[in-house]
Amino acid sequence: MRKIEEPAVGVLDVGSFSARLVVVPVSGSPREPVLNHQTRLRLDRELDGRGRLTDRGVVAVTTAVAAGMSTAYRHGVHGVYPLATSSIRDAANAADVVRHVAGETGVELRFLSGPAEAGLAYLAARRWYGADAGPLLVLDIGGGTVELAAGCGEQATFARSLPLGARSMTRDWLPSERVSNKQVKALRTHALDVVSTTLGAAGVDDPRVVGCSKVLQQLARLSGARPGKRRELRLDDLRAWIPRLAALPPSKRAELPGISRSRAHQALAGAIVAEALLTVAGGKVAICPWSTRDGLLLTLQDKAKAAGDHRAA
């Protein structure tokens, strides 16, 4: 097996649907990884009634972490950040999960706070669009939370995390396969209230609104955006799809363009939360292919370069 000879950094991103290892050269771009490995997970199915990750879920996480890290080690990469996202961070037994994984693999999963994740998504979007992009407002709809960040420079001056994730909103507001108009209306009202209260404090005038998440990418594809072209999601298009999604069970949503089978059950909640965000943020969002993981990779690259420059001096 070919070892990666040049200095490299990596992130093992353990989320609800997969544990994905991405390794990039210190001097390279997150767009061009030299190593990519993915283990599928379905942690959304492994939470019990008390919000604890089941034994089967813990075993799945442990197996995925072992597979990802051993792949990195076999390629000679040891500078890997083992990031556990909200699917583990927010579990009632998160500390037990971390101890078990560490005991079995020697790898201690690490958490980032919601605002820290928001700041990394902002950094990723800033690097993607460039320094001359002007003020940015970055939206990231995850499974457990929504991250918001805004600023005019390299670092965000506003970063918030809201409990409006597509997975958690599905569980708490739309738990059955068949949903009523009353349920949809209630979630729309709740999401808009939370978003309106929070985004009013962003303090950035006339920003470019950017979306950094799979949820927004899939909704943009559903609404007519095409892969390989400049993509954006517009409020009017999204609103037209919400009643259609509400009328379909998850199995039928998965047949729609852009909606993956693994995320079909939470597509309606994701669309409702996205509607609230776009309502407050100006009616459209440009889709950025980079997100929190890429922001973390960029940060690790920056630190490795700074350390190398210090040694050279």
Side-chain angles (χ1 to χ4, degrees), residues 20-88:
R20 184 179 176 190
L21 170 72
V22 179
V23 175
V24 297
V26 169
S27 59
S29 165
R31 280 180 275 186
E32 300 173 345
V34 291
L35 181 60
N36 223 321
H37 178 274
Q38 182 169 291
T39 302
R40 294 198 176 277
L41 295 170
R42 287 304 305 265
L43 300 186
D44 57 314
R45 298 176 177 175
E46 298 300 339
L47 287 173
D48 64 21
R50 296 176 296 166
R52 296 172 60 87
L53 200 60
T54 65
D55 289 346
R56 186 170 64 179
V58 175
V59 169
V61 171
T62 304
T63 302
V65 170
M69 297 302 281
S70 63
T71 298
Y73 297 155
R74 288 197 304 271
H75 285 83
V77 179
H78 295 273
V80 174
Y81 191 109
L83 173 65
T85 58
S86 65
S87 55
I88 299 173

Side-chain angles (χ1 to χ4, degrees), residues 150-166:
C152 298
E154 176 82 350
Q155 302 295 326
T157 54
F158 167 90
R160 298 287 189 277
S161 181
L162 306 179
L164 290 176

Side-chain angles (χ1 to χ4, degrees), residues 229-251:
K229 298 183 180 294
R230 183 169 182 169
R231 293 180 294 169
E232 65 180 21
L233 175 63
R234 291 180 174 270
L235 180 58
D236 289 345
D237 295 332
L238 179 61
R239 279 184 174 154
W241 272 105
I242 288 176
R244 301 181 206 179
L245 290 170
L248 296 173
S251 60

Side-chain angles (χ1 to χ4, degrees), residues 37-289:
H37 178 274
Q38 182 169 291
T39 302
R40 294 198 176 277
L41 295 170
R42 287 304 305 265
L43 300 186
D44 57 314
R45 298 176 177 175
E46 298 300 339
L47 287 173
D48 64 21
R50 296 176 296 166
R52 296 172 60 87
L53 200 60
T54 65
D55 289 346
R56 186 170 64 179
V58 175
V59 169
V61 171
T62 304
T63 302
V65 170
M69 297 302 281
S70 63
T71 298
Y73 297 155
R74 288 197 304 271
H75 285 83
V77 179
H78 295 273
V80 174
Y81 191 109
L83 173 65
T85 58
S86 65
S87 55
I88 299 173
R89 182 188 68 209
D90 297 340
N93 59 337
D96 294 334
V97 176
V98 171
R99 278 194 294 270
H100 184 273
V101 172
E104 294 293 319
T105 69
V107 176
E108 184 169 351
L109 292 172
R110 300 172 70 176
F111 301 125
L112 295 172
S113 69
E117 289 190 3
L120 288 171
Y122 175 89
L123 174 64
R126 173 60 68 190
R127 296 282 182 92
W128 179 264
Y129 286 100
D132 60 350
L136 295 182
L137 170 60
V138 177
L139 317 175
D140 186 342
I141 304 174
T145 56
V146 167
E147 272 65 64
L148 308 173
C152 298
E154 176 82 350
Q155 302 295 326
T157 54
F158 167 90
R160 298 287 189 277
S161 181
L162 306 179
L164 290 176
R167 181 185 67 249
S168 56
M169 292 300 93
T170 300
R171 180 192 64 224
D172 296 343
W173 294 79
L174 309 171
S176 59
E177 288 202 358
R178 296 289 183 179
V179 299
S180 67
N181 290 335
K182 183 178 179 180
Q183 288 173 307
V184 171
K185 183 178 179 180
L187 178 53
R188 280 175 130 165
T189 300
H190 171 69
L192 184 58
D193 180 58
V194 174
V195 170
S196 298
T197 301
T198 305
L199 274 185
V204 176
D205 294 331
D206 194 26
R208 179 196 297 248
V209 183
V210 176
C212 296
S213 72
K214 285 283 189 182
V215 172
L216 291 168
Q217 288 177 21
Q218 292 195 359
L219 290 173
R221 177 72 178 87
L222 177 68
S223 299
R226 294 293 178 265
K229 298 183 180 294
R230 183 169 182 169
R231 293 180 294 169
E232 65 180 21
L233 175 63
R234 291 180 174 270
L235 180 58
D236 289 345
D237 295 332
L238 179 61
R239 279 184 174 154
W241 272 105
I242 288 176
R244 301 181 206 179
L245 290 170
L248 296 173
S251 60
K252 292 298 183 181
R253 293 176 196 162
E255 298 174 1
L256 297 171
I259 304 299
S260 65
R261 184 166 299 279
S262 62
R263 296 175 186 268
H265 70 292
Q266 64 184 41
L268 174 58
I272 291 172
V273 172
E275 178 194 31
L277 290 167
L278 268 63
T279 298
V280 178
K284 67 178 181 179
V285 57
I287 305 301
C288 176

